[in-house]
């Protein structure tokens, strides 16, 4: 590697270098202790310095120095890991530089020329380099050490590195921590003791910051059942965040193949950088906090004060700018934030240089004044550009023209409402979406009714109207402490749909894609998928006691929303609990609004909740357990196993308490959820347990505890609900024998905020990340155990051997995904499939792994024979091999009898039933939400598997002349290199000769016994040469007479040794195959 020329005053400092070659202008040196003559005390001391000091010139085993005869100053210009590498640099200097140096007159000119040449070479390398760090030279040096020490494939991208201490038991090892796209690596070398650690991110179970008596602060990593501690980090928090981001990136990339589509910095694992990870994390945090669409990215951040004239609010915070939104969040504890879509901005006033202020006017005659902005002029220009507002004086006139045109359009649509229907794509009257919330249709409010509940409802509405007058209404409303207080007290029925849309961010999603829902309805209705069948089955189970869902109006609206969403997001399709949630959304929101609310919940507010493995819900269960330990110590002391609360609370999280509370009480919980997110559900869960803590402590078993909680939920009421008895669900707790007095939902929510409101959303997100790794690895381990249980019934391999083989198989699947986003294994990975089908290998991945594990070394990576093996064991002929097919084939070769092994080799050479395309994949699994699913084909395949019988050797077809020749070649390849190779070759030759003689004799007998009426052949005519063929029985009988061949195939295979060697060579071989 060429180095930026660096001056070295002492040619042989500390006698650490030995000169290998030299001439008038250059010196090639070897690091003492490296290469020939290395080792001993000197080598250990030098190795220790190399591992501790941060400079490649002191670490690389070889280097080249430049000097001139009349100078004592030397310049380091190149270094190398191997003698071959440094030799190429040396030869290049001799051929391209040495001849030129003779034309210079002075030493200064020679040195200048050499330095310029080397810098030019480095610049050329930089054009194709992936290094985008602040200090490219230093990073290149670190990358050289990374490649030298760990021998990972050259595609592996180093992201960053840190000096740290790794604790090997109780022994501290000072060294370097390297974080790459797919691996966590550590290297240390102290006085001859080398410590090298390589852990792939997908193997990590836990990643957390810890502290104890010995280690004040450290990073704790759990992988492969082992604990690893890293301490003495100069920037521990930064290191931990990067590790967390890389682990999360790997999990998302390998388990959710669509996670980074459109993410320029992270879409290609070969170009991931520390800067890109940080930008992605900030944008994700920005979108989560402000509930923005996933397309938005954080572009600019400015500190400023926000002044709102009408509310007399002046608060310090940060302005966050994305492609389509201007957002502000306070930092002074006022809990104030505002979201301004660029579409709502009507004017940006001329910046005020005195107070460094920018004033933004929005629709509704409101303005936001942002003061003390350092770069206020650029901010004003950026907002104008993104809103399409010109800074010229004519802007106001053009704005008036636009307003006039808009008003004329509004007047036109008021006079011609049918045109509005055409505008939004509602062309088919039978498929027209509902434009009213179901509660408005089935329970219209009676203005004349002045009972106490309705009066209280009117008072709530008045409180909200006052709030709107002070802080605005609609998308640009300011969110403050007062907003949350109003939410806790309860949202009026008439405003619930509007506020849900606002708080969830669904209002922005709908505004960005007008007419999208109507198009989905047109495209999705009438389709037949697994999702639509499940939807039809659950339609009448959704709030069956509510009048809205006892009529076709409500059922049809529910069907349209769920079917449209399944069509939009086939990865989720439809999952149980979505019907219950959507039913409540339809009660208070219009149909299109309910659809966008469902999108916000499933894709933004409750990620990974609604899929087959409900990973998101399980993660939040783990977060809930952590909160119970922190906030309810008396419960923890008396109930050591908290997993009970995880199982009983699953429905709380999946349905937002709708399935356990009466509907009139559950909607208050939904109000809080849309404002505060999952934090509100966690708080309420803690409050429920706290309310029942004494009863739970006294329970003798789980069933009794479930009864206690069920009775409590039955006693929860909403005393302020204006809904009529026909809509409300009467609580069972009203009877005299109830153990609970009625609990008002508003009081329960208020108590949850007072006692547990200290739980911050940032802490919840951090706990989610910490627990997600453990949840996913637990699910993966369960999948492995289920697969091994099924496969072990059909093979002779032990459970331990199957466990190791499964780890190799799964690792090969992941290795094919490490350096690309478009591998067949990744594109066809679907966690919703059955256990056996979740991990499958295409031909390229299979070829690598099989070449490592097959017992006789007859299949080289990518060979024709390897393709034949793949084709043979791919039973369903889809171009993918699952673990069962793979392990059964290996079991046959490892543990099968001589006959079974020979039959396997015989069948390899039979003509194929199908051919593999270039990419090795024939078809992919059908998506759950979209596309016609041929259920009959699945049932037929299942029936065939049940009725499949053991294949008899008599059922095998004969092999022809060409196939037999290839079969013989395969046997020669298998025997090559064996100790008894010569005797085995002779045995095959004898068998081949014997079979040919038998075939020739058989053909002569057949000719002799031909038809009697056949006359003599014409004179000079040659008899036609018939193709000869052999049956498996003939080949088997012949080979059974050769003890050397039988002994070879019945020789015991050391499976554990094979697996161990494969584990050591898998990563390197996969990298080389690329």
């Amino acid at each position: 590697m060429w180095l930026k020329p660096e001056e070295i005053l002492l040619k042989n400092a500390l006698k650490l270098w030995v000169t290998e070659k030299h001439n008038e202008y250059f010196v090639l040196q070897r690091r003492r202790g490296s290469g020939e003559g290395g080792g001993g005390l000197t080598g250990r001391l030098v190795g220790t310095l190399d591992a501790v000091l941060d400079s490649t010139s002191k670490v690389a085993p070889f280097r080249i120095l430049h000097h001139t005869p009349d100078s004592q100053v030397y310049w380091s210009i190149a270094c190398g890991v191997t003698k071959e590498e440094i030799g190429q640099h040396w030869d290049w200097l001799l051929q391209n530089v040495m001849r030129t140096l003779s034309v210079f007159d002075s030493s200064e000119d020679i040195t200048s020329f050499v330095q310029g040449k080397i810098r030019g070479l480095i610049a050329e390398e930089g054009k194709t380099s992936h290094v985008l760090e602040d200090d490219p030279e230093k990073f290149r040096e670190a990358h050289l050490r990374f490649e030298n020490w760990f021998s990972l494939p050259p595609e592996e991208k180093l992201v960053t590195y840190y000096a740290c201490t790794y604790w090997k038991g109780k022994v501290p090892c000072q060294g370097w921590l390297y974080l790459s796209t797919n691996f966590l690596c550590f290297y240390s070398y102290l006085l001859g003791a080398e410590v090298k650690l390589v852990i792939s991110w997908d193997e990590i179970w836990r990643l957390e910051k810890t502290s104890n008596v010995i280690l004040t602060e450290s990073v704790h990593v759990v992988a492969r059942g082992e604990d690893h501690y890293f301490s003495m980090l100069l920037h521990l928090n930064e290191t931990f965040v990067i590790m967390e981001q890389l682990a999360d990136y790997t999990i998302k990339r390998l388990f959710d193949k669509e996670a980074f589509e459109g993410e320029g910095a992270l879409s290609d694992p070969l170009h991931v950088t520390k800067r890109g990870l940080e930008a992605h994390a900030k944008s994700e945090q920005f979108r989560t906090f402000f509930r923005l669409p996933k397309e938005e990215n954080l572009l600019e951040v400015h500190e400023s004060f926000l002044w709102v004239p009408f509310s007399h609010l002046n608060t310090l915070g940060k302005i966050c700018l994305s492609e389509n939104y201007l957002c502000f969040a306070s930092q002074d504890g006022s809990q104030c934030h505002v979201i301004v879509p660029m579409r709502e901005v009507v004017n940006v006033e001329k910046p005020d240089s005195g107070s460094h202020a920018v004033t933004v006017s929005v629709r509704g005659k409101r303005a936001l004044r942002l003061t003390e902005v350092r770069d206020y002029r650029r901010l004003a220009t950026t907002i104008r550009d993104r809103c399409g507002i010109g800074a010229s004086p004519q802007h106001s006139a053009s704005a008036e023209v636009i307003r006039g045109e808009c008003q004329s359009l509004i007047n036109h649509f008021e006079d011609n409402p049918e045109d509005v229907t055409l505008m939004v794509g509602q062309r088919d009257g039978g498929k027209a979406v509902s434009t009213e919330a179901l509660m408005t249709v089935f329970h219209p409010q009676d203005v004349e009714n002045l009972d106490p509940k309705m009066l209280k409802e009117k008072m709530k509405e008045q409180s909200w109207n006052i709030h709107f007058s002070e802080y605005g209404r609609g998308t640009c409303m300011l969110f403050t402490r007062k907003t949350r207080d109003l939410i806790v007290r309860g949202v009026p029925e008439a405003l619930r749909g509007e506020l849900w849309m606002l708080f969830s961010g669904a209002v922005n999603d709908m505004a960005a894609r007008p007419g999208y829902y109507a198009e989905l309805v047109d495209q999705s209705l009438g389709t037949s998928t697994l999702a639509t069948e499940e939807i039809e089955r659950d339609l009448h189970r959704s709030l069956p006691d509510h009048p809205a869902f006892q009529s076709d109006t409500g059922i049809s609206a529910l069907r349209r929303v769920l079917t449209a969403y399944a069509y939009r997001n086939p990865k989720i399709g439809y999952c149980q609990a979505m019907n219950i949630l959507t039913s409540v959304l339809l009660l208070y929101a219009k149909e299109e609004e309910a659809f966008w609310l469902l999108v916000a919940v499933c894709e933004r507010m409750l990620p990974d909740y609604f899929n087959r493995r409900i990973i998101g819900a399980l993660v939040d269960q783990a977060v809930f357990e952590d909160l119970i330990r922190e906030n309810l110590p008396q419960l923890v002391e008396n109930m050591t196993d908290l997993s009970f609360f995880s199982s009983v609370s699953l429905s709380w999280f999946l349905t937002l308490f709708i399935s356990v509370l009466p509907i009139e009480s559950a909607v208050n919980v939904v109000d809080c959820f849309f404002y505060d997110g999952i934090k509100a559900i966690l708080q309420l869960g803690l409050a429920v347990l706290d309310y029942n803590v004494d009863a739970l402590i006294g329970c003798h078993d789980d069933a009794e505890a479930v009864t206690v909680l069920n009775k409590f939920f039955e006693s929860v009421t909403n005393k302020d609900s204006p809904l009529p008895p026909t809509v409300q669900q009467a609580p069972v707790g009203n009877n005299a024998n109830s153990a609970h007095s009625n609990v008002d939902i508003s009081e329960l929510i208020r108590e949850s905020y007072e006692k547990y409101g200290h739980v911050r959303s940032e802490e919840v997100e951090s706990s989610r990340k910490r627990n997600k790794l453990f949840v996913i690895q637990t699910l993966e381990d369960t999948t492995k155990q289920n697969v091994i249980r099924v496969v072990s019934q059909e093979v002779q391999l032990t459970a331990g051997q199957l466990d190791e083989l499964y780890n190799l198989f799964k690792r090969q699947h992941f290795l094919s995904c490490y350096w690309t986003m478009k591998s067949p294994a990744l594109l066809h990975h679907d966690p919703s499939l059955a256990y056996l089908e979740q991990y499958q290998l295409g031909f390229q991945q299979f070829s690598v792994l099989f070449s490592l594990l097959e017992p006789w070394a007859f299949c080289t990576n990518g060979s024709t024979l390897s393709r034949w093996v793949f084709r043979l064991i791919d039973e369903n002929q889809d171009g993918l091999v699952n673990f069962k097919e793979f392990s059964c084939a290996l079991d046959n070769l490892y543990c099968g009898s001589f006959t079974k092994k020979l039959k396997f080799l015989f069948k390899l050479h039979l003509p194929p039933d199908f051919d593999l395309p270039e990419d090795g994949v024939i078809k992919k699994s059908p998506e759950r939400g979209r596309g016609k699913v041929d259920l009959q084909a699945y049932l037929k395949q299942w029936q065939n598997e049940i009725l499949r019988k053991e294949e008899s050797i008599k059922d095998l077809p004969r092999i022809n002349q060409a196939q037999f020749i290839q079969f013989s070649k395969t046997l020669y390849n298998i025997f090559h290199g064996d100790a008894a190779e010569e005797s085995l070759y002779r045995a095959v030759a004898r068998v081949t000769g014997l079979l040919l003689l038998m075939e020739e004799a058989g053909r002569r007998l057949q000719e002799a016994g031909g038809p009697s009426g056949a006359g003599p052949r014409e004179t000079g005519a040659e008899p036609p040469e018939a193709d000869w063929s052999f049956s498996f029985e003939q080949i088997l009988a012949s080979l059974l007479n050769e003890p050397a061949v039988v002994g070879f195939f019945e020789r015991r295979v050391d499976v554990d040794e094979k697996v161990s060697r494969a584990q050591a060579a898998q990563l390197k071989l996969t990298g080389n195959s690329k």
Side-chain angles (χ1 to χ4, degrees), residues 667-681:
V667 290
N668 286 37
V669 179
V670 179
D671 297 338
C672 300
F673 167 75
F674 278 124
Y675 189 82
D676 274 321
I678 194 63
K679 172 180 178 289
I681 305 300

Side-chain angles (χ1 to χ4, degrees), residues 117 196 198 288 319 343 354 439 564 652 664 698 1067:
K117 198 72 174 174
K196 189 183 295 185
V198 179
T288 300
I319 304 167
R343 65 180 184 273
M439 195 64 79
W652 306 357
E664 65 276 7
L1067 179 60

